[in-house]
Amino acid sequence: MFITFEGIDGVGKSTQLDLLETWLKDLGHDVVRTLEPGGTELGKEIRHLLLHRKGDVSPRAEALLYAADRAHHVATKIKPSLTQGKTVLSDRYFDSSVAYQGAARDLEVDEVKNISLWAVDHLMPDLTILLDLPADQAILRRNKKGTEPDRLEREEVAFFERARDEYLRRAEEPRFLVIDAKLAVHEIQALIRTRVSQLSAAGSS
Ligand code: TYD
């Protein structure tokens, strides 16, 4: 199974990923937990360029750096793990680029999507879990963490609202499970587990 988690910053993806990872491991799955950007050694350097380097990154360069991170991630980590029968859980995948670089940054959504799909050689997730929250609430939650905001996190509310809207548009595809991130942590996790169980059963039948 290849499962991706999506949503704007602050919706609680990592908490849900932690819980799902533990549950799947307890059930005996061989789980690879990863993230974008930065799921590989090369990716960590790209992540630094994208999020922590001083100075601007032009929108198209930004889109290509995320795509480069993803191309290497898929080729050297995700695809080999799936081939070995492992379950891959990724904190973000190409929907992030479509939402952030395409819609929020105002590049052409379909162009960003096509670049990303080319980068990953059209590898699609079996399931994409979208945690949904209005941007102002997500930003409040994120600020509570007290960590120094990175380059993307310094964007205005409207940027994240555009990303959220695009995520919701994309979520019409059947591979998506959309969950209201205002629900309690255990309620969200229960919805995720139900859907993952169905996917797992469908895969083994
Ligand atoms: P993330 O690791 O989720 O942030 P954090 O370290 O705060 O948990 O993601 C890093 C940032 O990169 C986040 O603001 C979303 C952004 N991003 C894009 O703009 N496009 C992409 O394709 C990806 C994968 C992330």
Side-chain angles (χ1 to χ4, degrees), residues 48-195:
H48 178 79
L49 292 175
L50 279 162
L51 301 179
H52 303 296
R53 186 184 159 274
K54 285 206 174 63
D56 282 350
V57 182
S58 66
R60 282 167 194 260
E62 182 181 279
L64 290 169
L65 284 168
Y66 278 112
D69 166 70
R70 185 164 302 126
H72 192 69
H73 189 207
V74 166
T76 65
K77 192 166 176 183
I78 298 180
K79 261 197 188 158
S81 302
L82 293 172
T83 305
Q84 290 164 20
K86 296 178 181 169
T87 292
V88 177
L89 304 181
S90 185
D91 189 342
R92 301 188 178 281
Y93 191 53
F94 81 97
D95 296 298
S96 282
S97 280
V98 182
Y100 280 77
Q101 281 65 54
R105 206 51 106 199
D106 208 14
L107 294 175
E108 179 57 46
V109 164
D110 284 339
E111 286 181 0
V112 173
K113 184 175 154 195
N114 290 337
I115 288 167
S116 289
L117 285 175
W118 178 80
V120 302
D121 200 14
H122 295 264
L123 178 73
M124 296 294 281
D126 300 300
L127 170 63
T128 299
I129 294 158
L130 172 60
L131 300 182
D132 178 56
L133 199 62
D136 52 348
Q137 294 180 34
I139 289 169
L140 276 180
R141 282 196 192 181
R142 193 191 67 204
N143 290 347
K144 272 198 200 143
K145 277 202 282 183
T147 48
E148 188 65 26
D150 60 41
R151 193 177 59 85
L152 271 281
E153 287 170 344
R154 288 196 288 270
E155 291 293 336
E156 73 223 9
V157 186
F159 177 89
F160 295 99
E161 213 43 83
R162 288 195 294 277
R164 180 201 183 201
D165 290 346
E166 181 59 29
Y167 271 134
L168 290 173
R169 266 194 295 279
R170 301 191 57 62
E172 282 167 19
E173 288 181 32
R175 72 180 156 93
F176 274 86
L177 170 65
V178 185
I179 303 180
D180 181 351
K182 287 198 285 299
L183 292 172
V185 168
H186 71 276
E187 290 174 307
I188 297 175
Q189 185 61 203
L191 292 168
I192 294 173
R193 288 181 187 180
T194 302
R195 181 69 176 262

